[in-house]
């Protein structure tokens, strides 16, 4: 075989493989751009970050504190603190985890404060708000019957999680509701990944034991 043939044999004859970025990577790149702009004082850029994350923040806060008004306050306080402290964020790619850490810290603080006073009744009205806020992942928005079923399941789930230990509830919400990776959760809660996996396994076991009630 000649050198030329060896060269041809080592080349792929198929079409070049196009690299498709992972959705999370693309989203992270957009966050980075907006964060850098916002750190330079661009209020509109921060407004776009708010639009991207306010629905997610609300759902996360609600599933932890289970009260619409408290959740709205937590979201507002989270965004205010984020704007004031944004210049301290050294890695723009870490914005999502950083923002969720602020939210979960405020949500857990709200729970502890509530435990020192009379506990508010369960607030099912908040579920409707969670389903209509931006960035919702529900596919039932155009089907009232399906939307009602989803809200009923969410209500049952929220009641179930209300009985779970706080540390299990938070890990479950961040993983199953916010779709955060184990690494992101560990960074957000300042835990080891093994601890996160252990708590998540216990939380999932608790949820699975009650799944038959929703079938």
């Amino acid at each position: 075989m000649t050198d030329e043939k060896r060269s041809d044999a080592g080349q792929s004859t198929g079409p070049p493989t196009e690299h498709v970025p992972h959705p999370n990577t693309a989203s992270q790149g957009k966050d980075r751009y907006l964060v850098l702009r916002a750190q330079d004082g661009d209020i509109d850029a921060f407004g776009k970050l708010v639009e991207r994350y306010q629905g997610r923040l609300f759902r996360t806060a609600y599933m932890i504190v289970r009260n619409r008004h408290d959740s709205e306050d937590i979201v507002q306080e989270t965004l205010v603190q984020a704007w004031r402290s944004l210049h301290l964020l050294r890695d723009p790619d870490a914005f999502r985890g950083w923002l969720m850490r602020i939210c979960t810290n405020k949500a857990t603080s709200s729970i502890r404060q509530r435990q020192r006073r009379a506990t508010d009744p369960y607030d099912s009205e908040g579920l409707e708000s969670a389903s209509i806020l931006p960035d919702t992942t529900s596919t039932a928005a155009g089907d009232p019957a399906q939307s009602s079923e989803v809200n009923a399941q969410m209500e049952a789930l929220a009641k179930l999680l209300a009985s779970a230990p706080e540390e299990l509830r938070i890990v479950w919400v961040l993983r199953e509701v916010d779709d955060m990776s184990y690494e992101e959760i560990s960074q957000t809660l300042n835990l080891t990944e093994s601890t996160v996996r252990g708590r998540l396994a216990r939380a999932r076991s608790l949820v699975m034991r009650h799944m038959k009630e929703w079938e």
Side-chain angles (χ1 to χ4, degrees), residues 30-50:
K30 187 171 184 179
D31 280 356
R32 180 181 180 84
Y33 171 77
L34 293 173
V35 169
L36 289 172
R37 291 287 301 272
Q39 286 180 325
D40 287 337
D42 188 335
I43 298 179
D44 289 338
F46 186 75
K48 291 179 180 179
L49 288 169
V50 171

Side-chain angles (χ1 to χ4, degrees), residues 9-29:
Q11 294 179 358
S12 172
T13 58
T17 302
E18 181 180 356
H19 174 68
V20 180
H22 190 279
N24 287 343
T25 302
S27 178
Q28 191 176 52

Side-chain angles (χ1 to χ4, degrees), residues 1-211:
M1 180 181 292
T2 66
D3 291 340
E4 182 178 358
K5 289 182 178 180
R6 289 194 188 97
S7 177
D8 291 342
Q11 294 179 358
S12 172
T13 58
T17 302
E18 181 180 356
H19 174 68
V20 180
H22 190 279
N24 287 343
T25 302
S27 178
Q28 191 176 52
K30 187 171 184 179
D31 280 356
R32 180 181 180 84
Y33 171 77
L34 293 173
V35 169
L36 289 172
R37 291 287 301 272
Q39 286 180 325
D40 287 337
D42 188 335
I43 298 179
D44 289 338
F46 186 75
K48 291 179 180 179
L49 288 169
V50 171
E51 292 175 359
R52 285 169 65 82
Y53 284 102
Q54 64 180 354
R56 177 176 293 165
L57 289 170
F58 181 87
R59 289 195 303 276
T60 298
Y62 182 83
M63 295 300 287
I64 294 174
V65 303
R66 311 178 312 282
N67 180 280
R68 186 186 73 175
H69 299 296
D70 286 351
S71 298
E72 291 172 347
D73 289 343
I74 289 169
V75 172
Q76 183 68 23
E77 293 170 6
T78 295
L79 294 173
V80 169
Q81 181 174 334
W83 172 248
R84 291 176 176 174
S85 306
L86 192 60
H87 65 285
L88 300 176
L89 181 63
R90 295 184 178 182
D91 181 7
D93 291 332
F95 176 77
R96 179 189 178 191
W98 177 76
L99 185 67
M100 298 311 300
R101 187 180 305 117
I102 296 174
C103 180
T104 54
N105 286 343
K106 290 186 177 298
T108 52
S109 294
S110 176
I111 289 177
R112 295 187 184 108
Q113 291 175 5
R114 185 191 300 174
Q115 289 173 345
R116 299 190 188 104
R117 61 181 188 269
T119 302
D120 295 332
Y122 176 77
D123 176 22
S124 61
E125 182 183 358
L127 294 170
E128 296 182 5
S129 299
S131 67
I132 64 175
L133 277 172
D135 193 35
T136 182
T137 57
S138 173
T139 58
D143 185 340
Q146 187 175 358
S147 178
S148 177
E149 180 181 352
V150 169
N151 282 340
Q153 292 177 347
M154 286 288 289
E155 180 177 349
L157 177 59
K159 288 181 177 179
L160 169 60
L161 292 174
S163 64
E166 177 185 316
E167 66 271 14
L168 301 187
R169 180 167 69 249
I170 293 174
V171 168
W172 193 94
V173 169
L174 293 181
R175 178 62 178 171
E176 303 296 344
V177 177
D178 194 49
D179 196 29
M180 294 179 72
S181 67
Y182 295 114
E183 181 181 4
E184 288 175 320
I185 297 173
S186 67
Q187 292 175 351
T188 298
L189 301 179
N190 195 27
L191 300 170
T192 64
E193 286 193 38
S194 61
T195 299
V196 169
R197 290 178 183 274
R199 292 184 180 182
L200 182 60
R202 290 162 57 196
R204 283 174 169 169
S205 177
L206 176 66
V207 171
M208 288 298 294
R209 287 200 300 268
H210 294 78
M211 283 292 288

